[in-house]
Amino acid sequence: MSFPAQNQNAATADRLSLLTGVNAEYISHLYTKYIKSKSSVDASWQSFFAGLSEDELTVLKEQNGASWTPSENRVESRGFANNTSAAPTNIVPMPQQRTGQAQNIDQSVIESTVRVHNLINAYRVYGHCLAQLDPLGLNPPTGHPALDPAHHKLTPAMENQTFPLMGRLGMESATLGSILQKLNSMYASTSAAEFMHIPDQERQEWIQNAFENRDTMAVTQNETRHEILNRLAQAEGFEQFLHKKFQGAKRFGLDGGEVMIPSIDAMINVCVNNGASEFVFGMAHRGRLNVLTNIMRKPAKAILAEFQGKNALPEQFTNVSSDVKYHMGYSNDVDINGKSIHMSLAYNPSHLEFVNAVVVGKTRAKQEHDKDKAHEGVVPIVIHGDAAFAGQGVTAETLMMSELNGYTVGGTIHIIINNQVGFTTRPEDARSGKYSSDLAKMIDAPILHVNGDDPDEVVRLSCIAADYRQIFKRDIVLDIVSYRRYGHNEGDEPRFTQPLMYDRIDDMTPVREKYAQQLVQAGHISQEDAQQYVDDMRSEMEQAYDDASAFEASDADVLHGKWEGISTAPIDLPRRASTGLTDKKFNTIGTALTTVPSDFTLNKKIERLLDSKKTMFKEGMGFDWGTAEAIAFGSLLKEGYNVRLSGQDVRRGTFSHRHAALYDQKNAKRYYPLNNIKEEQGVFSVYNSPLSECAVMGFEYGYSLASPNTLTLWEGQFGDFVNGAQVIIDQFMSSGESKWLRMSGLTLLLPHGFEGMGPEHSSARLERFLQNSAEDNWQVCYPTTPANYFHLLRRQLHRNFRKPLIIMAPKSLLRHKKCTSETADMVGQTAFRRVLWDMAENEGMLAKPKDIKRLILCSGKVYFDLYQAREDMGIKNINILRVDQLYPFPEDSLMEEIGRFPNADIIWCQEEPANQGAWTFMRPRLREVIASLGHKSKEVHYVGRPEGAAPATGLASRHKAEQDALIEHALTIKK
């Protein structure tokens, strides 16, 4: 059959389109073979090439590269020069000539065959635009021009023409009508896929085969259908029971999206069959209680007891603030196919997507603990809302990290429970792209869309998603399009803003009922058996409700597993840890830090740096900040602990003070001295992070939750940028133990100090951490000596509890000649000191304590400015105390130290503006100390910058004037 008559120009344009379209590379390859030997290609292609014009031949030659194009870049060298069968999958080769059978196919047949393939390819790319994804029918498919056969010049008259497919679409050949029917069922039914954007051919073909050979993965067994129906009955029954018993109570139910439960079930089963032994879940509110009961197997009576107002925690935890029901997490061992599988659901605040980073960090820690280098055993599954996935920037940050060496977990399975509305906001107001899942294309993740009212397809795609993750160890997204039956929450009136949507929802048959009818009509189950699932779930919930009245929590789900042996922090008891080293251990670490392999070519500056460190260890003095830190890390590693440090530029350190990785100057290979202390030691991991604060800090927080015996640190490039992760700090680090009984030992290193570098390079916002300090929730420290920093780091793992540690780290002090320590400060019975004496007093350079007229209390860099100015001015009657730990407030130490100076007036001096820094936190506490002592000074006075909206000035001259003024004010005693 030939195409409709065309004029010569139109025919040429058609052929040019053919030569420059998706098939161009393959046709060019055949042409290369043709010009070498005409008989090497099929007779039909010989005829095609012989009829090309000069312009068309020029196009073909350009496809193969110019005469000077390197041979490896020519078409014939791109993977299939001598293997026609290895051609790209989006090419349909013509039938090969059979022995003894002449081929004399009309050129129009060649062209129409290629056009059929272009149609097939269009469905692979755009089929989702025709898919019936919306169960409500409010958003009909938009279609796409490339999906119209006429777009490819395929006419209705060709419907019964047979075309060779060579196995594509699972057929050797088929009529155009059959091909269209297949394409619509595969790519444009109640499910669809976006995968042709994936640049990796293997992964692209895998998804393609999963959709084009769908019969191999379809839900066909009655046993499976029965289980799907049972799980739908359990999901629906749970929500309906709560809705009936606790009318008006917020539960953020799964009503309308119940199919998520069999979806997760299917994923778990596939992953377990492919080597998984543990799952880490993260999700926001919607459906959380349902997942806790039906996936995590949390007893329903425990959840119902919470609805009845009972505390979810044992009696000894009554002082804990706790959290609302739909934020709580849980962990449990669940039997899956005869295997005990551990599952944990991360606790999550109302800040939705921020848990994503926490989940992957927690997963990474578990994988490393289990030595799961294949990322097969521990699988993260994160459940998103459509509006949140598209709208929250942390989603993009977390996706962006997913394939980086320091942060990969071998892929996360993402489930989007697509409500088609965000609270009251419609999709057209909530995102710019067509789908809420579009963001995942940034990492070339395949995206599977499915209508939530087709449970068979949901389960089929769930299996594909799980299989893909376990095979390729990459992220994948399952977008389940559903609806919310009761609005944003059960007390919300959704018709205020979505009247048409909720008119339609009122008429919607619940998915469980619809699926049951489908199975009954098909003869897969009896009506009685289908109803039995409903009755069984109702009976279970009624029994759980009766049991809830007597339920008392006996386990707080805390300090299990890897946390065994660790306790909660003691109250009103000494917490000083023994952190000094033996001389032998100290020197062993020193040797490792200053030695490199003999064949390693050092940078000349690094060589001089290592020589200076050798001198430090030899002479036992002059230890700077970076060296003290390395000794602390090395000592923990030698003791068998692990150390993990990440953040922007942390291998070298923003201020070139660390050099945790040394680079061979000839081949750029890295050498890590800290991983070469002794044969059996802990692992030192240091990763330069992407330019993200929020997701990276969230990742490290999650890591610390699952690895209590790792010193986990995040360092800000400058401490000022820490507020890019404010949600992680406020909702997780600051309050996680109080709300959820989840301890973390995460340490933040935040370079802080006023050195004239402007408002964005001076302040780590110390005041914000102190404002959130309460209930012994964390430690906020501003250490002023390398030795105190050394002990502070070691203390994190040498106490029998874990608390987050916030460190205001130095910048100019990294190389300050006075800011050094000695070996004696780090060995023997030494330990971290919360309050440090004045160095001048230790050296006998000051008046006796009773003769001191002013006592200056301060923290951090300003001490050294005050010290130098006092020395320059020859002042003897002013003493300066350093408060290196601001919270927990060192009341006992300060009472002891302040009490030594009965005749001094007392000031608090800081570099930060009065409304920032530590002043507002310290003032009331210092006043209590002074009052308790009955001290002569009735008040503590402030010296520092006045209040300011910005942390610091950007003018060097103004900075100097301000700094000079506060130093002069602090050291001037009125007579």
Side-chain angles (χ1 to χ4, degrees):
M1 181 176 290
S2 60
F3 285 97
Q6 305 173 45
N7 61 41
Q8 185 62 38
N9 290 337
T12 299
D14 282 347
R15 287 197 297 270
L16 283 173
S17 174
L18 184 68
L19 297 175
T20 57
V22 295
N23 306 282
E25 187 169 331
Y26 178 64
I27 295 174
S28 183
H29 160 64
L30 289 180
Y31 180 69
T32 300
K33 296 182 68 177
Y34 169 78
I35 59 177
K36 288 182 178 180
S37 172
K38 292 182 180 180
S39 62
S40 66
V41 300
D42 189 90
S44 57
W45 284 110
Q46 295 177 32
S47 174
F48 178 79
F49 292 135
L52 294 178
S53 67
E54 285 299 319
D55 288 343
E56 292 163 346
L57 287 172
T58 299
V59 170
L60 269 180
K61 291 173 182 177
E62 288 175 350
Q63 290 289 340
N64 196 32
S67 58
W68 58 83
T69 302
S71 60
E72 66 270 16
N73 293 338
R74 290 180 176 273
V75 169
E76 61 182 332
S77 299
R78 294 179 204 162
F80 49 90
N82 300 306
N83 182 9
T84 306
S85 66
T89 58
N90 61 341
I91 304 301
V92 179
M94 291 302 301
Q96 297 299 304
Q97 182 172 344
R98 294 174 185 164
T99 304
Q101 181 180 0
Q103 291 281 332
N104 187 21
I105 302 176
D106 190 281
Q107 179 174 314
S108 64
V109 176
I110 296 175
E111 293 180 346
S112 59
T113 299
V114 172
R115 295 185 196 286
V116 166
H117 175 69
N118 286 344
L119 177 64
I120 293 172
N121 198 60
Y123 264 85
R124 291 167 178 165
V125 178
Y126 303 114
H128 59 89
C129 297
L130 277 182
Q132 303 291 329
L133 299 176
D134 180 10
L136 300 177
L138 293 172
N139 296 295
T142 58
H144 192 280
L147 300 176
D148 185 350
H151 179 81
H152 304 278
K153 297 184 173 58
L154 298 169
T155 67
M158 304 167 70
E159 183 178 0
N160 294 318
Q161 182 177 342
T162 299
F163 294 91
L165 295 178
M166 305 294 288
R168 287 161 180 80
L169 308 184
M171 300 180 287
E172 289 300 315
S173 63
T175 63
L176 178 59
S178 297
I179 291 169
L180 280 168
Q181 186 178 15
K182 275 276 189 179
L183 288 171
N184 280 294
S185 67
M186 290 172 175
Y187 288 114
S189 59
T190 55
S191 65
E194 293 181 90
F195 65 97
M196 294 298 283
H197 58 278
I198 301 174
D200 178 66
Q201 185 174 336
E202 183 184 7
R203 292 190 289 125
Q204 187 187 95
E205 286 182 355
W206 192 92
I207 296 291
Q208 178 179 304
N209 289 333
F211 273 77
E212 295 183 7
N213 297 290
R214 58 180 296 139
D215 290 344
T216 62
M217 299 194 77
V219 176
T220 57
Q221 296 181 354
N222 275 355
E223 182 182 353
T224 302
R225 292 191 180 105
H226 288 198
E227 183 57 27
I228 293 172
L229 181 59
N230 184 29
R231 297 301 267 152
L232 288 172
Q234 291 170 346
E236 179 189 74
F238 178 83
E239 300 295 355
Q240 288 185 349
F241 188 86
L242 293 181
H243 193 66
K244 176 183 176 182
K245 291 289 187 180
F246 306 101
Q247 292 186 12
K250 285 184 182 180
R251 56 184 168 86
F252 292 94
L254 194 54
D255 314 79
E258 295 93 341
V259 76
M260 182 178 79
I261 298 302
S263 169
I264 297 174
D265 251 2
M267 289 178 177
I268 290 172
N269 277 280
V270 170
C271 288
V272 168
N273 290 337
N274 283 278
S277 58
E278 183 168 356
F279 295 87
V280 183
F281 290 91
M283 66 184 300
H285 312 343
R286 188 173 187 226
R288 190 179 190 89
L289 299 179
N290 211 311
V291 167
L292 283 170
T293 299
N294 286 312
I295 299 296
M296 308 297 300
R297 302 293 196 270
K298 180 177 180 178
K301 62 182 178 181
I303 292 176
L304 293 172
E306 293 171 39
F307 272 96
Q308 294 173 5
K310 293 195 172 187
N311 194 335
L313 300 174
E315 187 176 345
Q316 65 265 36
F317 296 105
T318 53
N319 60 327
V320 174
S321 65
S322 196
D323 203 347
V324 292
K325 295 178 287 295
Y326 38 81
H327 288 176
M328 302 300 279
Y330 190 69
S331 63
N332 197 13
D333 292 322
V334 178
D335 183 270
I336 304 293
N337 300 333
K339 300 177 183 177
S340 179
I341 303 300
H342 187 72
M343 299 186 189
S344 59
L345 175 62
Y347 291 74
N348 196 39
S350 288
H351 291 65
L352 302 175
E353 299 294 308
F354 289 86
V355 78
N356 302 353
V358 176
V359 165
V360 290
K362 188 176 178 182
T363 300
R364 174 65 176 249
K366 288 174 175 287
Q367 289 174 343
E368 292 188 348
H369 181 273
D370 295 345
K371 295 181 173 54
D372 180 16
K373 293 182 179 179
H375 305 298
E376 183 176 87
V378 187
V379 177
I381 299 178
V382 181
I383 302 158
H384 314 263
D386 50 318
F389 190 88
Q392 296 285 294
V394 69
T395 310
E397 290 188 32
T398 307
L399 288 170
M400 170 270 302
M401 299 192 308
S402 64
E403 292 167 29
L404 301 180
N405 182 46
Y407 308 92
T408 185
V409 293
T412 298
I413 301 174
H414 301 270
I415 304 173
I416 298 177
I417 297 300
N418 193 335
N419 300 321
Q420 305 188 73
V421 62
F423 195 177
T424 68
T425 305
R426 294 160 60 120
E428 57 265 33
D429 298 321
R431 60 178 183 264
S432 295
K434 178 178 176 64
Y435 298 112
S436 61
S437 55
D438 286 346
L439 188 65
K441 292 178 184 176
M442 68 183 281
I443 57 167
D444 302 319
I447 301 166
L448 313 180
H449 304 281
V450 64
N451 187 316
D453 262 16
D454 188 343
D456 284 351
E457 276 299 277
V458 170
V459 168
R460 186 177 77 88
L461 265 62
S462 300
C463 292
I464 291 173
D467 227 4
Y468 177 92
R469 190 275 170 193
Q470 289 298 85
I471 292 170
F472 295 106
K473 306 302 189 294
R474 305 283 288 263
D475 286 51
I476 187 168
V477 178
L478 175 63
D479 175 27
I480 303 176
V481 185
S482 57
Y483 56 90
R484 301 177 319 203
R485 186 167 291 278
Y486 296 111
H488 180 65
N489 61 60
E490 291 67 32
D492 177 46
E493 175 47 79
R495 288 168 183 78
F496 289 155
T497 49
Q498 275 80 36
L500 299 182
M501 174 181 278
Y502 277 85
D503 282 347
R504 184 65 59 87
I505 288 174
D506 284 345
D507 296 332
M508 290 292 292
T509 302
V511 64
R512 192 274 316 160
E513 185 177 340
K514 189 181 297 184
Y515 189 61
Q517 292 171 357
Q518 174 187 329
L519 297 187
V520 170
Q521 290 170 4
H524 297 311
I525 194 172
S526 68
Q527 184 66 55
E528 292 74 21
D529 286 344
Q531 183 61 38
Q532 191 63 51
Y533 291 137
V534 176
D535 296 340
D536 288 347
M537 185 59 184
R538 185 181 299 119
S539 296
E540 286 181 27
M541 293 301 294
E542 290 287 358
Q543 184 62 55
Y545 184 79
D546 292 341
D547 294 342
S549 58
F551 178 78
E552 296 292 341
S554 59
D555 183 17
D557 186 28
V558 65
L559 301 179
H560 298 322
K562 299 175 185 67
W563 287 85
E564 289 283 354
I566 294 175
S567 64
T568 55
I571 300 174
D572 298 328
L573 291 174
R575 296 184 176 187
R576 178 170 292 188
S578 177
T579 51
L581 303 179
T582 64
D583 289 327
K584 181 179 179 181
K585 183 182 290 187
F586 191 86
N587 292 325
T588 298
I589 295 165
T591 300
L593 293 178
T594 56
T595 303
V596 296
S598 58
D599 61 347
F600 193 89
T601 306
L602 276 170
N603 177 283
K604 293 299 182 183
K605 292 182 179 179
I606 298 295
E607 192 172 352
R608 291 194 294 272
L609 178 67
L610 293 188
D611 286 341
S612 69
K613 290 184 187 297
K614 289 178 182 177
T615 301
M616 294 177 197
F617 284 100
K618 181 179 179 180
E619 297 179 354
M621 61 181 64
F623 289 97
D624 59 21
W625 204 269
T627 307
E629 176 189 83
I631 299 169
F633 290 168
S635 64
L636 292 171
L637 294 165
K638 196 170 188 299
E639 293 162 0
Y641 295 106
N642 295 330
V643 176
R644 177 185 168 91
L645 169 63
S646 84
Q648 295 152 27
D649 310 297
V650 294
R651 286 191 176 119
R652 190 196 76 180
T654 301
F655 311 101
S656 297
H657 69 288
R658 181 172 292 120
H659 298 290
L662 304 179
Y663 292 79
D664 191 300
Q665 298 301 290
K666 290 184 177 179
N667 54 33
K669 288 184 179 178
R670 288 194 291 256
Y671 176 75
Y672 298 92
L674 284 167
N675 274 327
N676 291 276
I677 297 171
K678 68 173 189 174
E679 288 187 10
E680 297 295 328
Q681 65 166 77
V683 177
F684 175 61
S685 304
V686 55
Y687 298 107
N688 285 346
S689 77
L691 200 64
S692 155
E693 286 81 37
C694 185
V696 176
M697 189 191 294
F699 184 102
E700 302 306 339
Y701 173 79
Y703 194 100
S704 73
L705 293 178
S707 189
N709 289 318
T710 296
L711 178 62
T712 308
L713 308 100
W714 179 87
E715 182 174 69
Q717 190 177 59
F718 283 83
D720 309 67
F721 306 148
V722 72
N723 54 13
Q726 201 65 50
V727 171
I728 302 300
I729 295 165
D730 292 345
Q731 266 60 44
F732 292 91
M733 289 185 67
S734 167
S735 54
E737 185 174 357
S738 179
K739 294 188 297 187
W740 310 320
L741 284 177
R742 282 305 181 263
M743 285 189 279
S744 163
L746 179 60
T747 297
L748 305 187
L749 304 178
L750 311 177
H752 175 88
F754 285 58
E755 285 121 343
M757 299 181 71
E760 270 71 61
H761 294 87
S762 298
S763 176
R765 296 294 188 172
L766 173 61
E767 65 279 357
R768 294 183 181 171
F769 292 101
L770 292 175
Q771 182 187 34
N772 282 339
S773 295
E775 297 183 317
D776 194 23
N777 60 334
W778 56 19
Q779 308 147 100
V780 182
C781 298
Y782 198 171
T784 52
T785 72
N788 227 22
Y789 175 50
F790 160 88
H791 289 295
L792 189 54
L793 293 176
R794 285 180 51 75
R795 189 178 77 168
Q796 276 295 88
L797 295 185
H798 275 266
R799 296 190 297 190
N800 201 35
F801 61 90
R802 300 289 180 262
K803 296 283 183 182
L805 171 60
I806 317 301
I807 296 179
M808 298 292 114
K811 293 178 291 182
S812 62
L813 295 187
L814 293 170
R815 296 174 180 83
H816 196 287
K817 63 181 181 180
K818 291 285 188 183
C819 188
T820 62
S821 296
E822 300 179 1
T823 300
D825 300 324
M826 294 177 273
V827 299
Q829 298 304 308
T830 54
F832 175 71
R833 297 186 63 86
R834 296 171 296 166
V835 179
L836 286 181
W837 290 358
D838 195 325
M839 291 188 299
E841 182 181 3
N842 291 343
E843 296 165 1
M845 298 168 58
L846 298 180
K848 293 180 179 180
K850 65 181 181 61
D851 297 323
I852 293 295
K853 299 301 181 186
R854 169 164 293 177
L855 178 62
I856 301 176
L857 301 173
C858 66
S859 283
K861 183 186 81 66
V862 73
Y863 167 78
F864 295 93
D865 296 337
L866 291 166
Y867 184 98
Q868 187 62 52
R870 182 186 60 186
E871 187 176 279
D872 293 343
M873 297 167 67
I875 298 173
K876 304 291 186 182
N877 61 351
I878 296 179
N879 194 294
I880 311 170
L881 278 180
R882 288 165 282 174
V883 184
D884 275 22
Q885 177 174 298
L886 297 159
Y887 186 81
F889 181 68
E891 181 180 7
D892 54 343
S893 292
L894 282 171
M895 287 189 69
E896 182 179 345
E897 294 301 323
I898 292 174
R900 294 172 52 232
F901 305 98
N903 299 313
D905 66 337
I906 301 172
I907 69 169
W908 174 263
C909 181
Q910 66 179 37
E911 299 179 299
E912 302 88 350
N915 60 319
Q916 299 171 35
W919 167 237
T920 55
F921 176 83
M922 295 297 287
R923 183 184 184 186
R925 291 164 176 80
L926 289 173
R927 290 178 72 181
E928 288 184 11
V929 168
I930 292 169
S932 297
L933 288 169
H935 198 276
K936 166 190 166 184
S937 179
K938 303 296 183 183
E939 180 61 274
V940 56
H941 302 282
Y942 170 77
V943 173
R945 287 175 169 82
E947 291 183 348
T953 177
L955 299 174
S957 57
R958 183 173 174 182
H959 164 78
K960 185 178 185 306
E962 290 175 350
Q963 195 74 3
D964 290 346
L966 75 86
I967 296 298
E968 182 180 2
H969 186 187
L971 297 176
T972 301
I973 302 175
K974 294 181 180 179
K975 296 183 180 179

